[in-house]
Amino acid sequence: MPAPSVAAVAGWERGMRRARRLVAAAVLRLLLAAHVAAAFDPVSVGLVIGAASALTGYLSYCRFAECCREEQPLNASALKLDLEEKLFGQHLATEVILKALTGFKNNKNPKKPLTLSLHGWAGTGKNFVSQIVAENLHSKGLKSKFVHLFVSTLHFPHEQQIKLYQDQLQKWIRGNVSACASSLFIFDEMDKLHPGVIDAIKPFLDYYEQVDGVSYRKAIFIFLSNAGGDLITKTALDFWRAGRKREDIELKDLEHVLSVGVFNNKHSGLWHSSLIERNLIDYFIPFLPLEYRHVKMCVRAEMRARGSAIDEDIVTMVAEEMTFFPKDEKIYSDKGCKTVQSRLDFHEAPNGAG
Ligand SMILES: Nc1ncnc2c1ncn2[C@@H]1O[C@H](COP(=O)(O)OP(=O)(O)OP(=O)(O)O)[C@@H](O)[C@H]1O
């Protein structure tokens, strides 16, 4: 057998040195891995890394797109401030809405969705307050994809299409609550809503843990109607005539009257409705009729919102153009604050057109 050449021996030694370096590096890696594995449960380590990267991805996604933050607590002081500063003459609504929402959002395990039924004369702030609530729950307010506003005469106008409305509405609610458990649904003009459509909503409002695999317990439903407005006005008027302060009216003076009155009123939409029968409405919230001083507050608020200086002459002019009832006493504005904006347009028009 021929002797190996010097070059071959040198090559063989270089190969051996390289092999020894690789083995040493592999052993070091193994020792390190064993050390880490001894210190942590590798499954948890994997989960932590996975969760961290998912969280980073989610957070950066939520910077650009709206995310459903169902566990995010309600900022109760911000809601309180909004209600106290923006909503005029509605001490009962302010108090009940604040308590109802705070209690519901603080409850980690509600047994049913929150259902609020807002009642009162036109222009007293029911839609306005729904907007405030929406903004405090989802930062984009009524424009949020987690807030859904239905208006009876707009979305469910034809009686002969009830079946279709029922199907569509149920699909819509199911799909949206699956996507975001803390979705908010507002139904305006409840008094004009067909009982069949109310029946379609009913299963979602009940105490079920899940319906077809979806839990509705963190959703919020707000119903608005003029039903019971006459009863609320009568109570407010009784207080006024007895020389008692409006702010002394308590919820107990109205809540029962309201639920019974609305239940028995054929034109209430909720007439003999199973929503009331089955106690599915958590709070009946009365909106009191607005007085002359409240109309003036609305005019000032609108001027501020427009960035105009407060001109008390215009404030008085707008308020005096509103009509007030009852005929003799003229205490309450029959449109609440509803036409304030258009009247202000008229008076603030350039060149003194008003
Ligand atoms: N109590 C209030 N405090 C402050 N602003 C109010 C109040 N009520 C009404 N407004 C103003 O008047 C506008 C119209 O009121 P809103 O739409 O909330 O009335 P509503 O009670 O929903 O009436 P409707 O029963 O006719 O639908 C609001 O956008 C708001 O600017």
Side-chain angles (χ1 to χ4, degrees), residues 78 124 208 267 275 278 288 292:
T124 50
Y208 305 123
H267 305 290
L275 294 191
R278 287 186 48 82
L288 303 175
Y292 179 79

Side-chain angles (χ1 to χ4, degrees), residues 2 17-18 40 110 161 163 217 227 229 252 290 343:
R17 275 199 304 274
R18 197 162 165 260
F40 301 99
Q161 305 221 13
K163 185 80 195 67
R217 291 176 161 190
K252 68 175 165 54
L290 296 180
R343 281 168 201 272

Side-chain angles (χ1 to χ4, degrees), residues 247-267:
E247 289 72 23
D248 290 341
I249 304 175
E250 293 181 40
L251 194 60
K252 68 175 165 54
D253 297 317
L254 278 167
E255 207 180 16
H256 180 67
V257 182
L258 203 54
S259 68
V260 173
V262 169
F263 183 72
N264 290 323
N265 178 353
K266 276 193 181 177
H267 305 290

